[in-house]
């Protein structure tokens, strides 16, 4: 349908046109006053499944905002992740969350009931399942495996057919030099991605995990599980999110500073362990805050696109080379078929004026109070002079520490008030008592009317 669907903590769902970046439709209160924490399309791409902080799942016709069904899992604990899987032509909706259980719903359109309850929990899940909050879930439709990860760093591989545990995985702290506190979330595995394109080979890594400490782990799930590679894509905080394209040849990572990195994994960990990271294809800074979602987009134009969303409340579209196309909702439309309409070679203004991205000489000159004319004479390391001048014309007003700085309130009244003209009023004699018509002659009546007309000519009506 060439549309993008976004959701946020205010329980609002918005639909966008990917070909232009413009807003199409929206609906509010999808989960009442609770935030939407996860969502997924069904296999047909026609229905949207959302999970909320209220512990409910809802199935939507996202084109008109109609709620088709409400799924209840038996508790009100937050839903952290939801997926849609197919097993032997049977379709299911699987969600995990703070209830530490795997909740499975049959996805059928035959039911006439608006509410639907989860299937009974798997026996292994109740007796030997996770002991901490489950953060992520992923499925491999080729091998019928389900993977779940929790806050304490444990990964459990399940059989989708029987519901039994296939194996357990848990990585040791990847960097002994760094402090490792499981209570602070250092052990958490936040994202799981299967590599189904590699088939059922038992020699290659078929599962990629993000965590602990933001390190990316490549796992071989057979023979009890084995780490085949471990690397840190970020310099400081590591990765906050990972995803792969449909052919499983490109791995994308995002970190807490908003950086995106693409790696070539077409032959990575296929024949054995690897000690070095996969080849880096490209990297750029997409946002000024933590990246929360990734999506590879294909079939819209001749090349693959990347969609990124962040805590800074922006959703942006990029080419596979990191060329900036635009931000959803921007005033200028883009044409996905016309590369001349892309924002590239420009970059998002908030990224350009982020203190981490400003050259040291420019930042020091701004802090020291250098004038605009003097600042323009400072030599920067940026190639695009027009962009630098445009940034300096703004005098750094979009810097986060200035943008969010509270401005003192004034009590002088609005500017419109000061622009109103003022006129002096002429002294007017006090009005006389109303004359009694029966006791006065006609001359006295004319005298009273003449005085009233003088008073009205000195009034200004606004």
């Amino acid at each position: 349908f060439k549309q993008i669907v976004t959701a946020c903590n205010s329980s609002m769902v918005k639909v966008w046109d990917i070909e232009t970046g413009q807003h199409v439709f929206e609906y509010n209160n999808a989960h009442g006053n609770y935030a939407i924490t996860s969502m997924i399309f069904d296999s047909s791409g026609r229905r949207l499944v959302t999970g909320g902080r209220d512990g409910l799942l809802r199935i939507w016709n996202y084109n008109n905002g109609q709620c088709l069904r409400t799924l209840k899992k038996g508790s009100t604990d937050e839903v952290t992740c939801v997926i849609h899987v197919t097993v032997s032509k049977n379709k299911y909706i699987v969600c995990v969350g703070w209830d530490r259980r795997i909740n499975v719903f049959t996805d059928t359109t035959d039911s006439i009931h608006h509410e639907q309850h989860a299937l009974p929990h798997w026996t292994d899940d109740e007796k030997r399942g996770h002991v901490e909050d489950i953060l992520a879930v992923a499925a491999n439709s080729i091998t019928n495996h389900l993977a779940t990860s929790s806050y304490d760093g444990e990964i459990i591989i399940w059989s989708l057919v029987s519901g039994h545990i296939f194996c357990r995985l848990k990585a040791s702290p990847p960097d002994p030099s760094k402090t490792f506190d499981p209570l602070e979330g250092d052990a958490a595995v936040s994202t799981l991605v299967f590599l189904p394109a590699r088939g059922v080979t038992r020699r290659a890594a078929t599962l990629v995990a993000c965590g602990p400490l933001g390190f990316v782990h490549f796992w071989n799930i057979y023979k009890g599980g084995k780490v085949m590679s471990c690397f840190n894509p970020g310099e400081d905080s590591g990765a906050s999110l990972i995803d792969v394209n449909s052919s499983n040849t490109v791995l994308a990572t995002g970190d807490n500073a908003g950086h995106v990195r693409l790696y070539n994994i077409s032959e990575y960990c296929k024949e054995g362990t690897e000690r070095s990271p996969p080849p880096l294809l490209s990297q750029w800074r997409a946002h000024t805050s933590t990246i929360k979602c990734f999506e590879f987009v294909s079939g819209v134009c001749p090349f693959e696109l990347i969609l990124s969303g962040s805590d800074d409340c922006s959703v942006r579209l990029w080419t596979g080379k990191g060329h900036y196309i635009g931000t959803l909702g921007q005033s200028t439309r883009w044409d996905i078929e016309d590369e001349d309409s892309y924002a590239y070679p420009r970059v998002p203004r908030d990224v350009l004026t982020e203190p981490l991205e400003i050259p040291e000489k420019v930042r020091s000159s701004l802090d020291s109070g250098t004038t605009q004319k003097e600042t323009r004479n400072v030599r920067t390391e940026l190639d695009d002079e027009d962009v630098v001048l445009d940034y300096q014309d703004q005098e750094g007003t979009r810097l986060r520490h200035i943008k969010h700085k509270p401005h003192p309130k004034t009590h002088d009244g609005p500017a419109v008030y000061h622009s109103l003209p003022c006129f002096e009023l002429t002294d007017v004699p006090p009005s006389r008592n109303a004359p009694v018509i029966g006791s006065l002659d006609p001359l006295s009546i004319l005298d009273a009317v003449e005085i009233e007309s003088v008073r009205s000519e000195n009034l200004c009506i606004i």
Side-chain angles (χ1 to χ4, degrees):
F1 300 100
K2 297 183 178 181
Q3 291 180 328
I4 301 171
V5 180
T6 62
C8 61
N9 287 338
S10 60
S11 201
M12 176 184 294
V13 177
K14 288 190 175 185
V15 182
W16 311 82
D17 183 6
I18 193 173
E19 294 185 330
T20 63
Q22 298 303 298
H23 178 249
V24 176
F25 175 73
E26 70 179 49
Y27 52 95
N28 302 320
N29 300 320
H31 285 259
N33 296 325
Y34 295 92
I36 298 175
T37 55
S38 61
M39 62 180 184
I40 193 72
F41 280 108
D42 67 350
S43 56
S44 67
R46 296 178 179 273
R47 296 175 302 154
L48 179 71
V49 183
T50 61
R53 197 159 287 166
D54 55 359
L56 299 177
L57 298 177
R58 286 193 167 96
I59 303 177
W60 303 87
N61 181 344
Y62 72 92
N63 283 314
N64 57 18
Q66 179 187 5
C67 182
L68 305 176
R69 206 181 322 158
T70 299
L71 311 181
K72 296 185 177 181
K73 58 184 178 61
S75 71
T76 58
D77 295 314
E78 178 178 328
V79 176
T80 57
C81 191
V82 58
I83 60 173
H84 191 276
V85 298
T86 301
V87 181
S88 301
K89 297 183 179 181
N90 297 316
K91 298 179 180 180
Y92 300 93
I93 297 172
V94 182
C95 76
V96 295
W98 290 2
D99 60 353
R100 306 174 183 178
R101 291 289 173 264
I102 300 173
N103 301 280
V104 182
F105 301 85
T106 56
D107 183 19
T108 175
T109 57
D110 298 335
S111 176
I112 61 174
H113 301 287
H114 181 73
E115 292 186 358
Q116 180 180 344
H117 295 275
L119 298 174
H121 291 140
W122 296 335
T123 302
D124 274 8
D125 184 23
E126 291 182 329
K127 294 182 178 181
R128 301 192 297 143
H130 288 281
V131 295
E132 276 292 344
D133 300 339
I134 304 177
L135 304 180
V137 60
N140 188 339
S141 58
I142 303 298
T143 60
N144 287 330
H145 284 141
L146 185 80
T148 56
S149 63
S150 58
Y151 189 78
D152 59 358
E154 185 178 35
I155 301 174
I156 302 180
I157 310 298
W158 309 79
S159 169
L160 274 172
V161 178
S162 64
H164 294 314
I165 293 178
F166 182 77
C167 68
R168 293 176 181 268
L169 312 173
K170 192 167 185 178
S172 57
D175 189 352
S177 63
K178 292 186 178 181
T179 58
F180 188 81
D181 188 359
L183 297 179
E184 295 295 330
D186 292 340
V189 177
S190 60
T191 315
L192 295 172
V193 178
F194 271 110
L195 304 176
R198 298 191 174 187
V200 293
T201 175
R202 295 176 178 269
R203 299 182 59 184
T206 56
L207 178 68
V208 187
C210 179
L213 284 177
F215 279 68
V216 177
H217 291 74
F218 280 72
W219 288 93
N220 184 323
I221 65 174
Y222 296 99
K223 297 181 181 181
K226 177 183 179 181
V227 177
M228 301 191 68
S229 176
C230 173
F231 66 93
N232 183 10
E235 298 178 356
D236 299 321
S237 59
S240 62
L241 184 73
I242 58 173
D243 196 12
V244 295
N245 62 348
S246 57
S247 60
N248 299 162
T249 58
V250 178
L251 170 72
T253 68
D255 61 22
N256 293 330
H259 293 97
V260 177
R261 296 175 177 87
L262 302 183
Y263 296 90
N264 182 3
I265 60 169
S266 57
E267 300 297 327
Y268 193 69
C269 291
K270 271 193 170 182
E271 299 297 331
T273 59
E274 300 279 356
R275 293 186 177 182
S276 58
L280 181 65
L281 298 176
S282 59
Q283 63 177 334
W284 68 93
R285 195 175 190 196
H287 301 272
T288 60
S289 187
T290 303
I291 294 179
K292 287 295 187 181
C293 60
F294 265 140
E295 192 72 29
F296 283 90
V297 183
S298 57
V300 179
C301 58
F303 46 86
E304 200 167 43
L305 304 176
I306 297 176
L307 194 68
S308 64
S310 169
D311 272 348
D312 60 11
C313 300
S314 64
V315 180
R316 289 170 175 151
L317 194 63
W318 312 83
T319 67
K321 297 180 180 180
H323 296 172
Y324 177 47
I325 297 178
T327 301
L328 294 185
Q330 67 182 28
S331 58
T332 306
R333 294 170 177 258
W334 67 68
D335 183 357
I336 203 66
E337 300 291 343
D338 181 14
E339 296 186 34
D340 292 336
S341 67
Y342 297 174
Y344 180 80
R346 291 176 295 164
V347 297
R349 182 179 294 275
D350 59 339
V351 174
L352 179 65
T353 58
E354 168 72 16
L356 294 178
E357 300 296 322
I358 302 175
E360 180 63 29
K361 292 183 178 180
V362 177
R363 185 164 62 250
S364 60
S365 64
L366 290 176
D367 294 338
S368 61
T370 307
T371 62
Q372 180 179 351
K373 183 176 181 181
E374 294 172 340
T375 304
R376 287 187 176 180
N377 294 328
V378 176
R379 182 177 179 84
T380 68
E381 299 177 358
L382 298 178
D383 296 329
D384 193 342
E385 183 180 0
D386 294 336
V387 176
V388 178
L389 294 179
D390 179 63
Y391 150 70
Q392 293 165 349
D393 287 338
Q394 298 294 329
E395 288 293 330
T397 54
R398 289 184 180 266
L399 295 178
R400 283 194 298 170
H401 66 282
I402 298 180
K403 178 181 177 182
H404 299 290
K405 182 179 179 180
H407 298 283
K409 296 182 178 180
T410 59
H411 303 279
D412 298 333
V416 178
Y417 170 80
H418 296 287
S419 64
L420 293 177
C422 298
F423 301 93
E424 294 184 359
L425 295 178
T426 304
D427 293 336
V428 180
S431 60
R432 298 182 179 180
N433 295 329
V436 181
I437 302 300
S439 61
L440 295 177
D441 55 15
L443 295 178
S444 299
I445 296 176
L446 292 175
D447 187 15
V449 174
E450 183 180 2
I451 294 176
E452 292 297 332
S453 65
V454 172
R455 183 184 298 114
S456 64
E457 290 173 357
N458 289 276
L459 293 178
C460 180
I461 300 176
I462 302 176

